[in-house]
Amino acid sequence: MAVALDRIRVGSAPDSWGVWFPDDPQQVPWQRFLDEVAEAGYSWIELGPYGYLPTDPARLKDEVSRRDLKVSAGTIFCGLHRGPSEWDSTWEQVSRVAALTQAMDAEHLVVIPSFWRDDKTAEILEPPELTTEQWGHLTRGMERLGREVKETYGLDIVVHPHADTHIDTEEHVERFLDSTDSGLVNLCLDTGHYAYCGGDSVKLIETYGERIGYLHLKQVDPEILADVVKNEIPFGPAVQRGVMCEPPAGVPELGPVLTAAQKLGVDLFAIVEQDMYPCEPDKPLPIAVRTRKFLRSCGA
């Protein structure tokens, strides 16, 4: 019998509908996403790229609440490893997203480090390894972000390790956690990205449990991943090859991840994401229904 995962709040996100950008003709309209995510049986969503869902708080609140949905988090990208000169442009973006997130009564801001490789063209933008000085900029910048987002908007930041960014592998994730204050910065553990970069999610939860503030549930196809790693394929093209797959077909096994998270004894969001940009408009809903059913079988 599955463990009762009563501390885990399951949701989904625009990402599972193939949405990566605020506006893109290849993506489903936002109204369809909201209708279908509710139809699939989810009650929590993330905002996705700022500008995809309505940005007027009153309108968004109405659209979300009449479908019996609630918002768990907003998301931003930032390049704070580049130093203090990045702060003003970062804060301008954060302010927009955090204000809308706060207005939706959510409590988290998911922070994704900027890509070192372009996810559309695969062009190398920066070296994949940070210098010691850049690590200092990154950790101090994230702590400042955590402090100011909390003071200004009452939100907790959770930093999301991500493929083709500087916080990706087990080594980089642990270095980041060991270098930051848990009172200011915690982690959004994305099980798919962590597996994509060679990490073990259960081990991370068991080792750094007090730093896990949020979960993204995702799986990778190990055969496609092996080819991606062997041929150094960038993340965008890897997604188009189907590297992120429908549970329970891939790794890591989500049951043990959820059980490990439950044992932390804290309330955690576990937001389903399956990167599918771009995808056929009729593809996401059946997957979302099956995934929700699978997670119920795990006890979530």
Side-chain angles (χ1 to χ4, degrees):
M1 183 179 155
V3 176
L5 303 171
D6 59 354
R7 305 302 293 266
I8 309 294
R9 291 170 286 183
V10 171
S12 193
D15 185 58
S16 294
W17 267 256
V19 174
W20 275 11
F21 304 99
D23 185 34
D24 187 304
Q26 298 189 86
Q27 297 175 170
V28 297
W30 62 266
Q31 296 94 332
R32 181 170 178 177
F33 159 68
L34 290 178
D35 289 343
E36 292 188 350
V37 76
E39 185 183 335
Y42 293 102
S43 52
W44 293 94
I45 60 163
E46 289 184 1
L47 294 176
Y50 182 80
Y52 174 66
L53 293 176
T55 55
D56 173 65
R59 185 181 182 200
L60 183 57
K61 206 157 218 176
D62 175 61
E63 295 285 357
V64 165
S65 61
R66 64 190 179 85
R67 294 171 173 90
D68 293 323
L69 296 169
K70 292 170 284 195
V71 174
S72 61
T75 304
I76 64 125
F77 285 84
C78 65
L80 294 173
H81 67 283
R82 298 186 195 115
S85 61
E86 283 286 304
W87 180 261
D88 289 348
S89 60
T90 299
W91 188 251
E92 185 183 353
Q93 178 206 172
V94 167
S95 298
R96 288 196 302 269
V97 178
L100 184 59
T101 304
Q102 179 191 42
M104 299 308 294
D105 300 320
E107 296 175 358
H108 295 90
L109 187 67
V110 176
V111 179
I112 302 176
S114 58
F115 287 68
W116 54 260
R117 177 160 60 182
D118 190 286
D119 60 339
K120 276 191 165 177
T121 67
E123 178 193 355
I124 303 287
L125 305 172
E126 297 179 71
E129 289 288 338
L130 296 178
T131 64
T132 302
E133 182 184 33
Q134 288 174 320
W135 269 108
H137 289 321
L138 176 65
T139 54
R140 288 191 299 273
M142 287 293 193
E143 287 179 335
R144 180 182 178 187
L145 190 64
R147 184 183 301 111
E148 299 205 16
V149 165
K150 188 71 171 176
E151 287 175 358
T152 311
Y153 298 102
L155 306 175
D156 292 322
I157 72 164
V158 281
V159 176
H160 181 322
H162 196 292
D164 289 358
T165 77
H166 295 109
I167 307 177
D168 50 4
T169 61
E170 181 178 331
E171 179 190 359
H172 288 163
V173 169
E174 291 186 355
R175 180 172 180 173
F176 179 75
L177 290 174
D178 290 343
S179 307
T180 47
D181 181 345
S182 62
L184 300 171
V185 178
N186 284 305
L187 211 65
C188 167
L189 170 57
D190 183 304
T191 60
H193 279 281
Y194 202 50
Y196 185 103
C197 300
D200 180 333
S201 288
V202 171
K203 180 185 168 191
L204 188 69
I205 292 168
E206 290 175 348
T207 310
Y208 285 90
E210 75 285 355
R211 303 300 298 277
I212 307 297
Y214 199 93
L215 295 172
H216 279 171
L217 301 180
K218 189 180 290 181
Q219 285 191 326
V220 293
D221 180 314
E223 288 185 16
I224 297 175
L225 179 62
D227 185 59
V228 163
V229 172
K230 179 182 171 188
N231 294 299
E232 298 184 3
I233 295 165
F235 182 65
V239 166
Q240 291 178 24
R241 290 181 179 214
V243 73
M244 298 298 181
C245 63
E246 178 183 341
V251 296
E253 213 180 325
L254 294 180
V257 170
L258 290 165
T259 299
Q262 170 73 19
K263 286 178 182 173
L264 296 176
V266 295
D267 292 331
L268 282 174
F269 283 107
I271 304 299
V272 175
E273 288 191 325
Q274 183 182 343
D275 292 297
M276 293 195 292
Y277 175 85
C279 72
E280 294 298 319
D282 293 335
K283 187 178 175 185
L285 178 59
I287 292 175
V289 170
R290 290 191 297 267
T291 302
R292 187 71 195 92
K293 185 178 179 185
F294 165 70
L295 291 171
R296 283 199 181 95
S297 77
C298 296

